[in-house]
């Protein structure tokens, strides 16, 4: 059903900034197994090389990189991120068993090392396309990483079908602009805020 939309997005990515269409970042799944988390490429091809010089503009505490009006993001990338369309290829990760629709956002090993107890909890379940942190975070200065830990642990301890349905509903409302969303500035999901 999503085929025509995915084809249009892929064409837009190519026309804006060439190939590749997809970006696959190495993340950790349940138990620490490494897999490629796919998304439509929203950043310029040299984005990884620019991280070091842009890090001083980082608005996040902890291991993530979130830069307001990030110059690494392409024109099409801004639109895809605004509506989370860049995340659609992760449904492939769900189909092959690497991810779930709801769960803690998958992170690379270097980010998971920041808090060992948190790492063990979050790696005890399958990572998700959306999660409690994405719909509850505030983006308050100096609190983003602490909220990430708090909501990931809360999700693992409370997880179940009703909580998953609530998170999915809140995600849809946020995408439509009528949900709670990040309260301190405009933000993106965990995967989008990272240097990937």
């Amino acid at each position: 059903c999503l085929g025509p939309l995915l084809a249009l997005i892929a064409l837009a990515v190519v026309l804006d900034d060439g190939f590749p269409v997809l970006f696959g970042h190495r993340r950790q799944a349940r138990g620490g197994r490494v897999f490629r988390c796919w998304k439509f490429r929203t950043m310029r091809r040299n984005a990884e090389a620019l991280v070091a010089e842009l890090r001083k503009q980082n608005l996040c505490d902890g291991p993530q990189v979130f830069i307001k009006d990030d110059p690494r993001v392409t024109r099409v990338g801004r639109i895809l991120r605004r509506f989370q369309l860049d995340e659609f290829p992760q449904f492939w990760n769900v189909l092959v068993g690497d991810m779930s629709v709801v769960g803690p956002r998958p992170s690379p090993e270097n980010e998971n090392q920041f808090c060992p107890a948190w790492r063990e909890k979050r790696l005890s379940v399958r990572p998700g396309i959306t999660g409690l942190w994405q719909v509850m975070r505030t983006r308050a200065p100096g609190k983003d990483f602490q909220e990430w830990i708090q909501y990931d642990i809360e999700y693992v301890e409370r997880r179940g079908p009703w909580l998953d349905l609530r998170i999915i509903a809140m995600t849809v409302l946020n995408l439509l602009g009528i949900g709670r969303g990040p309260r301190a500035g405009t933000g993106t999901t965990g995967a989008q805020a990272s240097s990937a």
Side-chain angles (χ1 to χ4, degrees), residues 128-140:
I129 296 175
T130 187
L132 191 60
W133 177 56
Q134 284 76 14
V135 298
M136 298 298 292
R137 70 198 296 186
T138 65
R139 282 270 189 219

Side-chain angles (χ1 to χ4, degrees), residues 144-177:
D144 209 44
F145 187 52
Q146 286 71 28
E147 288 184 344
W148 188 8
I149 293 172
Q150 172 193 338
Y151 289 123
D152 276 0
I153 289 175
E154 183 179 340
Y155 175 78
V156 172
E157 292 176 346
R158 293 179 50 211
R159 72 186 185 277
W162 294 116
L163 179 59
D164 284 1
L165 287 172
R166 179 173 168 240
I167 291 169
I168 290 169
M170 291 174 73
T171 300
V172 171
L173 291 175
N174 287 349
L175 291 176
L176 296 174

Side-chain angles (χ1 to χ4, degrees), residues 2-23 39-42 74 76-77 80 85-86 88-89:
L2 292 175
L5 175 60
L6 298 180
L8 285 174
I9 293 172
L11 179 62
V13 170
V14 171
L15 291 176
D16 188 35
D17 196 54
F19 289 97
V21 170
L22 298 176
F23 178 81
K39 62 186 292 186
F40 283 114
R41 185 171 62 85
T42 60
T74 64
V76 167
L80 297 181
L85 297 173
D86 59 319
F88 275 18

